[in-house]
Amino acid sequence: VNTMTGGGIGSAMFAGREAGITAAEAILADGVSEKRLQEYHQRWDKVQGKRLRRYDRLAKAVEKMSDDTFNRTCAVLMTMDP
C-alpha cells in the first residue's frame, strides 16, 4: 500500500503477476524451493520496493512536520509547475 495515497491496486496487480510467473517458472524448472521462490521478492523489490520505501520515508517526514511547516511547504509546492 502506498503510504502517501493509500493506493495499491497497481502494486497488487504487479505482485500477483510476478508471483504467478515465479511459481510457474519454479514448477517447470526444478520445484518450489525457498531459494527459487525468493526470486519473487527480488523481482518485486527491484520494481516496487524502492518506490514504496521512498513514499514511506516521505510520509514519516510529513508526520513529523508542525502544522505551520506543513502549510508553508504546501504553499510553496502549489506555486510549482507539475
Side-chain angles (χ1 to χ4, degrees), residues 25-45:
E25 289 175 350
I27 290 167
L28 292 173
D30 60 1
V32 289
S33 67
E34 182 178 349
K35 181 179 178 182
R36 178 75 176 179
L37 294 178
Q38 184 65 21
E39 291 176 17
Y40 160 76
H41 178 71
Q42 293 166 351
R43 288 177 174 179
W44 181 88
D45 194 59

Side-chain angles (χ1 to χ4, degrees), residues 6 12 21 27 34 41 43-44 59 65-66 68 72-74 77 81:
I21 290 170
I27 290 167
E34 182 178 349
H41 178 71
R43 288 177 174 179
W44 181 88
M65 287 182 181
S66 68
D68 184 55
R72 285 183 295 142
T73 301
C74 289
L77 291 173
D81 290 331

Side-chain angles (χ1 to χ4, degrees), residues 1-8 11 48-63:
V1 174
N2 178 328
T3 55
M4 290 300 295
T5 66
S11 296
Q48 299 289 328
K50 182 178 181 180
R51 182 175 57 86
L52 291 178
R53 283 189 296 276
R54 188 178 324 133
Y55 287 143
D56 190 46
R57 285 193 307 270
L58 180 58
K60 288 177 181 174
V62 169
E63 287 175 357

